[in-house]
Amino acid sequence: MTAKLMDEIHIPIVNGFIVKQVNHIIRVQASSNYSRIYCTDERYPITVAKVLAWFQLVLPPQDFIRTHRTHLINKQFIERKIGNQMLMRNGEIISISKRKLNKLKNIC
């Protein structure tokens, strides 16, 4: 299935897969060789042994943007851009790197 038609993602883990609805993923944060997945249907982030670049390849590019080397965020959860930060609907504030700032000018 191509990324454009994807409505769920199968994330490999040690003993199988985690299946998540793409529209439930708020953001993915890099942490060394691991990633933390923040979802609307989970109380705590899910930590998996996948790098952020893997998520950037498999998640639909029209829905997710890389704002920083450590953050991939779902556009539908952006409240607004404030300077060099994104305010998310859940109240979190995500940094935008200087290199990405011009690219993300018209995001909201």
Side-chain angles (χ1 to χ4, degrees), residues 3 6-9 20-29 36-39 52 55-67 71-78 86 88 100 103-104 107:
M6 180 189 304
D7 60 349
E8 62 184 32
I9 181 174
K20 294 306 292 173
Q21 294 294 316
V22 171
N23 62 351
H24 289 184
I25 299 173
I26 299 169
R27 67 185 178 99
V28 183
Q29 181 178 358
R36 290 187 183 108
I37 309 161
Y38 293 81
C39 301
L52 194 60
F55 286 96
Q56 194 169 4
L57 288 173
V58 298
L59 289 170
Q62 69 273 13
D63 297 330
F64 287 82
I65 55 171
R66 185 96 177 242
T67 61
H71 296 289
L72 182 65
I73 62 175
N74 189 333
K75 292 178 187 178
Q76 75 177 3
F77 291 102
I78 297 172
M86 290 284 186
M88 305 298 286
K100 304 279 184 181
K103 191 176 183 181
L104 301 174
I107 205 68

Side-chain angles (χ1 to χ4, degrees), residues 65 67 78-88 93-94 96-97 100-108:
I65 55 171
T67 61
I78 297 172
E79 183 70 32
R80 66 179 183 266
K81 184 174 159 287
I82 306 169
N84 64 343
Q85 298 176 326
M86 290 284 186
L87 175 63
M88 305 298 286
I93 297 174
I94 308 298
I96 302 172
S97 70
K100 304 279 184 181
L101 200 53
N102 282 338
K103 191 176 183 181
L104 301 174
K105 262 185 190 173
N106 302 322
I107 205 68
C108 27

